[in-house]
Amino acid sequence: MKVIKEISAVQDISDYFKCIGKKTGLVPTMGFLHEGHASLIIKAKEENDIVFVSIFVNPTQFGKNEDFGKYPRDFERDYHICEKAGADYIFYPDIKEMYGENSLTSVTVSGITERLEGEIRPGHFTGVATVVLKLLNAVKPDNLYLGQKDAQQNAVVGKMISDLNVDVNLKICATMREANGLAMSSRNTYLTEEQRTKASVLYFLLEKAKKMILEENISDVSEIKEIISDTFKQMTPEFELQYFDIAENKMLTPLSDLESFEGEILISLAAKVGSTRLIDNVILRKIRDRK
Ligand code: PAF
């Protein structure tokens, strides 16, 4: 496995593999990799000849008071995880290489970025869409791999790819979870043992909402939201539920009545556990009851 730091070098390598008819995949990351990232690399290796993992803690997607400075970094550890999972190249640029001295261009996807994470983290998705496009222009992969945990990010990147005619296939892979259901995230490292145990409530609530829709046939979204919010307060009064949302899964349009809705539903939430923000989601497919 090789580490490449320059954009021009990774472009040359990518051109070479294209020229000799090899398929390439990119797993973009901000490092401090966990089993979720490893599963993306393994999937990418199954579907491509050559796998690139990018490791870049992207400053433009962090707000002023967010954790850019303290975001966990450990290149040695990441290197071994990438190697074990079967990556061929790590693209590891520094900030100057990615943004140069005077970068003036950014990519903003409107609409879907205005609610949920976008509302709480203004500017975040412009940072994400811009860096993902830059990574795609550097690595030029056939396939791009992202995890389901960042559902809104996936919707934004998917829209950016289709709106800007980017020549790549987006592959969304399942969220990897701890044994207690907690979605794997580099930010879990901020949690104490006790918080980590209690944070399993987030997945429990998503599954509870899913059951209310699919098994109990509750179609009034405000009723579901109220039950979830009450249960959250009861079970983890020390945490803060920032949002709990039920939307259709493409444009993330909020739903209020599920009675006649047919298609994919995204149930998502964000919570503050001490000073750490966690997000999670589940997707369900609803078929209309045609009695
Ligand atoms: O999901 C992430 O780790 C980041 O948002 C990404 C896609 C690597 C862009 O910096």
Side-chain angles (χ1 to χ4, degrees), residues 28-30 56 58 61 128 131-132 146 150 153:
T29 81
M30 297 206 300
F56 179 64
N58 173 37
Q61 69 188 77
V128 170
V131 82
V132 170
L146 293 174
D150 296 291
Q153 167 170 284

Side-chain angles (χ1 to χ4, degrees), residues 267-284:
I267 311 177
S268 64
L269 57 72
K272 271 204 115 171
V273 175
S275 55
T276 308
R277 269 192 95 238
L278 297 178
I279 60 171
D280 199 358
N281 67 78
V282 293
I283 289 176
L284 57 107

Side-chain angles (χ1 to χ4, degrees), residues 195-210:
Q195 286 173 333
R196 200 180 262 256
T197 307
K198 283 200 174 164
S200 58
V201 165
L202 306 185
Y203 182 57
F204 166 74
L205 292 177
L206 291 167
E207 285 293 311
K208 182 176 168 69
K210 189 168 156 180

Side-chain angles (χ1 to χ4, degrees), residues 27-31 37 54-62 71 99 121 124-125 127-132 135 144-147 149-150 153-154 157 186-187:
V27 180
T29 81
M30 297 206 300
H37 296 112
S54 63
I55 298 181
F56 179 64
V57 185
N58 173 37
T60 67
Q61 69 188 77
F62 288 80
Y71 197 83
Y99 287 102
R121 306 182 69 189
H124 169 67
F125 286 120
V128 170
T130 305
V131 82
V132 170
L135 290 167
L144 171 68
Y145 294 82
L146 293 174
K149 188 181 77 78
D150 296 291
Q153 167 170 284
N154 298 340
V157 170
S186 305
R187 288 189 169 98

Side-chain angles (χ1 to χ4, degrees), residues 126-236:
T126 291
V128 170
T130 305
V131 82
V132 170
L133 185 60
K134 286 167 78 64
L135 290 167
L136 290 172
N137 285 335
V139 177
K140 301 191 267 182
D142 295 298
N143 297 306
L144 171 68
Y145 294 82
L146 293 174
Q148 177 53 43
K149 188 181 77 78
D150 296 291
Q152 194 174 10
Q153 167 170 284
N154 298 340
V156 171
V157 170
K159 197 75 181 86
M160 182 268 287
I161 287 171
S162 75
D163 286 353
L164 299 182
N165 310 327
V166 185
D167 191 11
V168 71
N169 303 307
L170 174 58
K171 310 255 185 163
I172 310 292
C173 305
T175 301
M176 295 294 281
R177 298 182 179 279
E178 309 278 357
N180 70 1
L182 175 65
M184 288 190 186
S185 161
S186 305
R187 288 189 169 98
N188 290 353
T189 170
Y190 299 147
L191 303 173
T192 63
E193 259 328 295
E194 195 192 342
Q195 286 173 333
R196 200 180 262 256
T197 307
K198 283 200 174 164
S200 58
V201 165
L202 306 185
Y203 182 57
F204 166 74
L205 292 177
L206 291 167
E207 285 293 311
K208 182 176 168 69
K210 189 168 156 180
K211 274 200 199 106
M212 281 193 263
I213 297 169
L214 290 182
E215 292 171 24
E216 297 164 35
N217 289 315
I218 303 178
S219 54
D220 179 359
V221 169
S222 56
E223 186 183 337
I224 300 170
K225 282 187 173 174
E226 202 176 311
I227 295 170
I228 295 297
S229 157
D230 288 349
T231 316
F232 181 90
K233 274 188 211 132
Q234 232 168 48
M235 294 181 76
T236 46

